[in-house]
Amino acid sequence: MRTSKVARRSSARNSFPTLPAVVWQPGLPVHGSRTWVIVVGDEAGLPAAAKEAGERLGVDLDRLLEAQRATGFSPTAGATTAYPLLTGEVAEVLLVGAGDGSPASLRHAGAAIARFGRGKDELTTVVAEGIDDEALQAFAEGIALGSFTFTRKTVDVGKPLVERVVLTDGSDHDRAAVLERGLVIGRTGWLAREFATTPSNEKDPAWMAARATELAAQTGLEVKVWDEKQLAADGFGGILAVGKGSTRPPRFIRLDYTPAGATKNTPYVVLVGKGITYDTGGLSLKPREGMVSMKRDMTGGGSVIATMSALRDLGAQVRVTGLICSAENMPSGTAYRPDDVIRHYGGRTTEVKNTDAEGRLVLADGLAYAVNELKPDAVVDIATLTGAIKVSLGSMLYGGLFATDDGLAARLADAGEVSGERLWRMPLPDEYADLISTPIADSVNSSKGPGSITAALFLKAFTGGLPWAHLDLSSIAESPRDEYEYSLGATGAGARLLTTWLTSEAPTAGIG
């Protein structure tokens, strides 16, 4: 077992992405940038500062909006239309729709601005006076998320990110702290998306451990990593079994955050993330089409790492441990087989019926470790666990939420609404437990029937009666197109949701 104590922030390279600078300007700037952005509400119309802004620009913004509406522009969330200016220091005005002015709509608008701003040095952006904190935070999140880029191209790499976005509502108020929170939460989404998008010839369990260690050093976390020898010595049979077929051995990663001034009464939460860095299905081999995009099967683990990296910056008032169960699921002469019996951490046994139902096997070890060794007030696991959840919930609308505690379910659902990573609570009926029973072991890892529910029931047996929630986010883990705050491919689902929950005012209130 390799361990390290809390590292100084200067001891590791910067592992965070370089985001656009998003700053608040009290009052309208005297000069501003070459591009001005005016955020327009569907019903609210132009912001209060539009008249003064128009005078600065030499443009009647009311008439401009009227003309643009006549040519088809509608200020729905994220819609844009640009108007060139032929004289003066400002080259163009961009109208951006804010829809109904809700946080979700402002998040879309921020992402649209970030996309439009690629290749530009600066954007001066006028928003509605008195915009509330939640909407302004979401706007900053959108700028961060809409800026996301990932490429290994050597030619035609695309335009660079906008360097600076200056926001103002024309008033003298200072809203910098709200923007900073939005950027940090947006950064967690970027990080999780970057982890999930990294190709698996670069990314393996050791890579996951290295990224976690680097971020821990920069954000004041404690980190501990189990290698394959220590996993065997400590009895992590599920993680070891799944990783047996690969030449790149598994890892179990523990990150710990303790807030300043914590006492024995400080609430304690454990997150457990699935970190399958590539999933071929093992000996139960996936078809080619089903294997494509399985580099993102560590989305849960990546989201846990990203969440942990934000807790100190955002002043979370709960103790949090993040556990990442990481392996590569490959077929080979050493791979685990259907009909094998696995002994998990803590002793519970599983009969394998499908080596492609591997995520629950690694999560079981993490949950058992949390229950036996950490004894938290609540435990939440997060994974791209089943294709069945996509059958139930479709694509890019809701992630699946299973929970044994109504208070915990409510807290997570609320955080999902705030963050834009919405959840739909699914049932956990004991009547389906017979579907995963077997005379050979304590349970099987796969069965016919309601697949997302039986997977959750399998995991429930490892939670020791603690308040527990299971997030099956396969349904929101991959965007089919560039749209709003998402780009084509992995979404990094769960990082913003968990960060929003854990940094809320009382994240464990009503639980237990």
Side-chain angles (χ1 to χ4, degrees):
M1 180 172 61
R2 181 162 52 87
T3 64
S4 64
K5 296 181 179 179
V6 177
R8 295 186 178 90
R9 290 178 181 242
S10 61
S11 65
R13 70 178 180 85
N14 185 13
S15 299
F16 289 119
T18 300
L19 299 176
V22 181
V23 298
W24 184 262
Q25 169 72 52
L28 288 181
V30 175
H31 298 292
S33 66
R34 295 274 293 164
T35 300
W36 280 57
V37 179
I38 311 298
V39 180
V40 186
D42 200 5
E43 295 292 334
L46 290 166
K51 183 176 180 180
E52 183 182 351
E55 291 173 353
R56 297 275 179 93
L57 300 174
V59 176
D60 186 331
L61 290 174
D62 285 303
R63 292 188 62 186
L64 175 60
L65 176 58
E66 183 179 341
Q68 295 301 310
R69 282 183 182 273
T71 59
F73 172 71
S74 174
T76 55
T80 59
T81 182
Y83 180 77
L85 301 181
L86 302 181
T87 60
E89 295 181 357
V90 179
E92 60 188 340
V93 174
L94 178 74
L95 301 180
V96 175
D100 61 4
S102 66
S105 294
L106 267 295
R107 191 179 291 111
H108 297 342
I113 289 170
R115 287 196 173 93
F116 177 83
R118 290 184 185 275
K120 301 181 184 297
D121 293 335
E122 185 174 320
L123 303 175
T124 299
T125 303
V126 183
V127 297
E129 186 173 359
I131 181 174
D132 67 41
D133 285 354
E134 190 175 326
L136 186 60
Q137 175 188 311
F139 193 81
E141 290 174 25
I143 293 172
L145 295 166
S147 299
F148 178 77
T149 183
F150 184 98
T151 185
R152 293 293 183 263
K153 296 179 71 170
T154 58
V155 295
D156 300 325
V157 296
K159 295 179 180 179
L161 308 183
V162 61
E163 292 183 11
R164 178 179 164 92
V165 180
V166 178
L167 298 182
T168 181
D169 65 358
S171 74
D172 293 331
H173 298 121
D174 187 353
R175 310 292 294 280
V178 178
L179 293 182
E180 180 62 22
R181 176 176 170 84
L183 285 176
V184 172
I185 292 178
R187 185 186 74 194
T188 67
W190 177 307
L191 275 173
R193 196 182 303 181
E194 182 180 87
F195 293 154
T197 307
T198 299
S200 293
N201 59 323
E202 299 178 27
K203 175 179 64 189
D204 64 3
W207 183 95
M208 291 279 288
R211 299 292 82 73
T213 300
E214 289 166 359
L215 286 166
Q218 290 177 246
T219 58
L221 303 175
E222 294 182 4
V223 59
K224 182 184 296 185
V225 177
W226 282 251
D227 63 16
E228 65 274 26
K229 293 180 180 178
Q230 197 64 47
L231 286 169
D234 290 349
F236 287 85
I239 298 173
L240 284 168
V242 174
K244 277 175 60 178
S246 176
T247 58
R248 307 157 92 188
R251 294 289 185 269
F252 181 59
I253 306 156
R254 173 177 169 175
L255 297 168
D256 285 285
Y257 165 77
T258 303
T263 70
K264 64 180 182 179
N265 295 320
T266 301
Y268 183 29
V269 172
V270 173
L271 309 175
V272 184
K274 174 186 173 185
I276 302 298
T277 55
Y278 200 79
D279 182 20
T280 66
L283 293 180
S284 304
L285 193 68
K286 294 178 184 287
R288 182 189 66 82
E289 293 81 5
M291 205 180 301
V292 172
S293 84
M294 283 297 101
K295 67 180 183 180
R296 63 155 178 75
D297 209 24
M298 40 55 65
T299 292
S303 292
V304 170
I305 295 172
T307 296
M308 297 296 297
S309 76
L311 297 180
R312 196 165 302 283
D313 281 344
L314 297 178
Q317 292 302 300
V318 288
R319 289 175 55 214
V320 186
T321 294
L323 304 174
I324 300 92
C325 311
S326 189
E328 186 176 62
N329 190 22
M330 299 288 284
S332 74
T334 59
Y336 77 124
R337 298 158 289 255
D339 291 336
D340 281 2
V341 174
I342 293 169
R343 187 172 298 276
H344 294 277
Y345 191 94
R348 186 175 171 88
T349 57
T350 298
E351 184 180 16
V352 177
K353 291 301 182 185
N354 180 358
T355 65
D356 194 22
E358 84 298 330
R360 67 202 69 179
L361 298 178
V362 301
L363 287 174
D365 279 1
L367 289 169
Y369 176 84
V371 169
N372 285 285
E373 307 300 332
L374 305 179
K375 299 176 174 55
D377 298 309
V379 59
V380 176
D381 73 72
I382 176 172
T384 48
L385 200 67
T386 69
I389 200 68
K390 290 192 283 187
V391 177
S392 300
L393 298 177
S395 176
M396 292 304 293
L397 286 178
Y398 296 96
L401 164 63
F402 300 81
T404 57
D405 183 274
D406 290 342
L408 179 56
R411 289 289 173 182
L412 289 167
D414 288 347
E417 292 296 327
V418 172
S419 66
E421 296 185 324
R422 296 183 296 170
L423 301 173
W424 190 271
R425 191 171 182 183
M426 300 288 287
L428 268 173
D430 291 334
E431 289 84 350
Y432 289 154
D434 285 347
L435 296 175
I436 55 173
S437 65
T438 170
I440 304 300
D442 293 317
S443 62
V444 294
N445 76 323
S446 180
S447 68
K448 294 180 180 179
S452 62
I453 296 175
T454 54
L457 288 170
F458 174 89
L459 294 173
K460 180 184 175 185
F462 292 87
T463 62
L466 290 176
W468 161 73
H470 162 56
L471 306 180
D472 188 347
L473 302 188
S474 294
S475 51
I476 58 172
E478 189 162 17
S479 174
R481 64 186 69 88
D482 288 342
E483 187 173 48
Y484 300 134
E485 58 264 35
Y486 295 112
S487 51
L488 174 68
T491 65
R496 291 185 294 120
L497 162 69
L498 292 175
T499 304
T500 299
W501 169 48
L502 291 170
T503 60
S504 63
E505 187 172 345
T508 60
I511 297 175

